[in-house]
Amino acid sequence: MPQMDVRAALVGLSAYKNIAGLPLMRMLHDFLKAMSAKQAEAALDLYTGLFFSLEKEGYSALGDYLHDHLRYDPAPYPEAVAAGRTDERLAQAARRDIQLLSFVANLPCAVLKNGLINALPESWRSMPGELPEWESKCPFTFEELTRFYQVNGSGLFARYRAFVWEKDKLHPVEDPDYVPPDELTGYERQRGQVVENTRALMEGRQVNNVLLYGESGTGKSAAVKALLGLEGFEGLRIIEVDKAGLGDLPELIRTLGHRPQKFILFIDDLAFDKDDRTYSALKTILEGGLEKRPANVAVYATSNRRHLVRETFSDRAGDEVDANETIEEKTSLSDRFGLRIPFLSLNQDQFLELVYRLARVYHIDRDQEALKTSAIRWVMHHPGRTPRTARQFLNSLQV
């Protein structure tokens, strides 16, 4: 493809106009422009800059760089396909753009270097032959990209599986912190309830919002985050929401309903003070107001408190006329979760069984009777017979 034709292809993008604005695409455009203008030094600098930038971003081919941005960057066509909208005019524009970009991806470096030779002064013309090259290939087609959008959606939700909602903005988590399901121990029945409810969500069935409550260290948060590691849950996305962000959550929820993924809005360590009015925002999200919550969205929360709202004796002895009604309104917030799962402390036998199992996982070779004596002694100085306490005890044996 002639140099000017490649420049025209980049300038002429319409449905994927965002691709033309990518740093490497601007660099390629400027390189071709510099060659046409016989600006030899600038062209040489741009060619080497292209190679450097590709390597810095971890790509051996320009086509791979384009492929990732075509898959994951927001654009009109991917968004329309993800939402299930069909628009032949937009589809034709997107198909044309993909054909143009395939020419760019397949452009041999030898063609660029030959053009560079013609632009350079005589004393520099041996240099292009020694310059490194990136691979020329096109790993994408219009049909492949369309199928990808249909299954995975577009934008950040196609690329990442975990997010944090903070200050009215969605922040992707590249490496989510979760324990693989096969490494979780104890509370199998409770975790099974979480998994089954989530499986129903994945299958498009009506599901309950979930409250996991109980003592600290029992694995409530781990039970939710471990869902990311389950087979068949690849379409699941978890968005962690701080309590302070509850008031802005409806804004986020409105953007999720048309997407093919399923979403858990995860509120960890939830509790309200007596004068905290953000619980009204949560109540609206759980029960729905005039605006219905999308079927692909569910709320999962963990708390150390069954009723979520901290209550003191002075609350009951106050001078409010309808004090009992107010107290009932606050303490009944947890009832708005359709599925409430208790994570209670283990009894001594259950705790010791957990210690023995984890000791085998950690390859700790200790006499069981000695392990039992040490574990009981450890619990006397560390509150709660929980998985966290068991892991801390076993870690102490390996110091």
Side-chain angles (χ1 to χ4, degrees):
M1 198 178 196
Q3 294 174 17
M4 287 302 295
D5 288 352
V6 177
R7 285 173 59 193
L10 294 174
V11 174
L13 295 174
S14 53
Y16 288 99
K17 194 69 177 177
N18 57 304
I19 297 295
L22 293 173
L24 266 69
M25 293 299 98
R26 291 200 305 268
M27 199 177 295
L28 177 60
H29 176 273
D30 291 345
F31 165 77
L32 297 169
K33 185 177 180 181
M35 280 206 303
S36 296
K38 302 296 183 181
Q39 296 171 346
E41 189 170 340
L44 179 60
D45 183 56
L46 286 162
Y47 181 93
T48 54
L50 267 167
F51 180 85
F52 174 84
S53 298
L54 276 172
E55 289 295 324
K56 184 178 179 181
E57 296 200 28
Y59 296 99
S60 61
L62 191 59
D64 291 335
Y65 171 84
L66 289 171
H67 193 199
D68 274 358
H69 284 281
L70 287 167
R71 279 186 164 203
Y72 302 125
D73 290 2
Y77 181 67
E79 290 288 335
V81 174
R85 300 192 302 266
T86 55
D87 184 335
E88 187 58 33
R89 180 178 50 87
L90 178 59
Q92 287 178 356
R95 184 185 292 276
R96 172 185 171 275
D97 282 5
I98 297 304
Q99 290 173 343
L100 292 174
L101 290 171
S102 70
F103 282 121
V104 175
N106 281 319
L107 187 65
C109 285
V111 172
L112 300 179
K113 290 163 69 172
N114 286 337
L116 190 56
I117 290 173
N118 295 330
L120 289 171
E122 186 70 33
S123 60
W124 289 29
R125 288 187 178 178
S126 63
M127 183 179 294
E130 302 171 357
L131 292 175
E133 299 183 1
W134 54 86
E135 294 180 54
S136 300
K137 65 177 183 178
C138 181
F140 53 84
T141 64
F142 175 76
E143 290 74 20
E144 178 267 327
L145 288 168
T146 300
R147 287 193 297 271
F148 179 85
Y149 303 145
Q150 289 169 340
V151 175
N152 301 284
S154 65
L156 290 176
F157 293 121
R159 186 163 199 163
Y160 302 100
R161 299 193 62 199
F163 303 83
V164 174
W165 175 251
E166 189 175 57
K167 296 181 180 178
D168 301 348
K169 191 174 180 182
L170 205 59
H171 302 272
V173 179
E174 292 195 23
D175 186 19
D177 176 26
Y178 70 93
V179 179
D182 57 354
E183 293 184 18
L184 291 173
T185 52
Y187 302 93
E188 283 81 4
R189 181 181 61 81
Q190 290 91 331
R191 287 188 285 107
Q193 289 179 277
V194 176
V195 170
E196 286 309 308
N197 193 74
T198 310
R199 182 169 285 112
L201 176 68
M202 300 304 298
E203 294 172 355
R205 293 185 275 137
Q206 195 70 31
V207 301
N208 283 307
N209 297 312
V210 182
L211 174 64
L212 299 81
Y213 68 92
E215 294 198 30
S216 177
T218 50
K220 303 182 295 295
S221 301
V224 177
K225 292 187 285 187
L227 296 169
L228 291 174
L230 289 178
E231 186 178 349
F233 284 25
E234 290 79 12
L236 179 67
R237 303 292 181 265
I238 295 181
I239 303 175
E240 186 170 2
V241 181
D242 186 78
K243 190 183 70 170
L246 290 176
D248 303 313
L249 207 50
E251 176 187 343
L252 171 63
I253 293 173
R254 291 186 194 105
T255 69
L256 304 179
H258 71 279
R259 299 185 181 276
Q261 296 94 345
K262 312 300 180 184
F263 297 90
I264 289 176
L265 305 179
F266 177 44
I267 312 168
D268 198 19
D269 198 19
L270 182 62
F272 297 97
D273 294 317
K274 64 175 183 176
D275 296 323
D276 192 338
R277 293 295 174 182
T278 56
Y279 77 89
S280 298
L282 179 58
K283 183 175 76 170
T284 301
I285 293 165
L286 292 173
E287 293 193 332
L290 188 60
E291 189 175 11
K292 191 169 97 173
R293 191 179 74 247
N296 64 334
V297 177
V299 178
Y300 286 24
T302 70
S303 179
N304 295 340
R305 295 174 174 270
R306 165 66 175 84
H307 291 297
L308 301 179
V309 181
R310 299 183 181 95
E311 184 189 2
T312 66
F313 285 111
S314 61
D315 295 332
R316 296 182 177 271
D319 57 2
E320 186 178 349
V321 174
D322 295 323
N324 289 336
E325 188 174 318
T326 301
I327 292 168
E328 183 180 349
E329 178 191 2
K330 290 182 176 182
T331 58
S332 65
L333 179 61
S334 62
D335 295 337
R336 292 177 169 86
F337 288 89
L339 183 58
R340 298 176 293 280
I341 305 175
F343 280 68
L344 307 177
S345 258
L346 304 170
N347 60 38
Q348 181 165 293
D349 289 342
Q350 291 170 328
F351 178 75
L352 291 173
E353 180 58 33
L354 178 59
V355 167
Y356 302 149
R357 287 168 58 188
L358 285 176
R360 290 192 292 271
V361 171
Y362 295 167
H363 305 292
I364 296 176
D365 187 16
R366 292 286 183 98
D367 176 74
Q368 184 166 306
E369 196 59 36
L371 201 60
K372 173 181 176 180
T373 302
S374 299
I376 292 173
R377 187 182 303 116
W378 179 270
V379 170
M380 292 173 62
H381 302 284
H382 297 79
R385 298 190 190 96
T386 67
R388 179 186 296 165
T389 305
R391 286 192 295 270
Q392 290 171 345
F393 162 65
L394 293 169
N395 288 339
S396 73
L397 299 180
Q398 300 181 77
V399 174

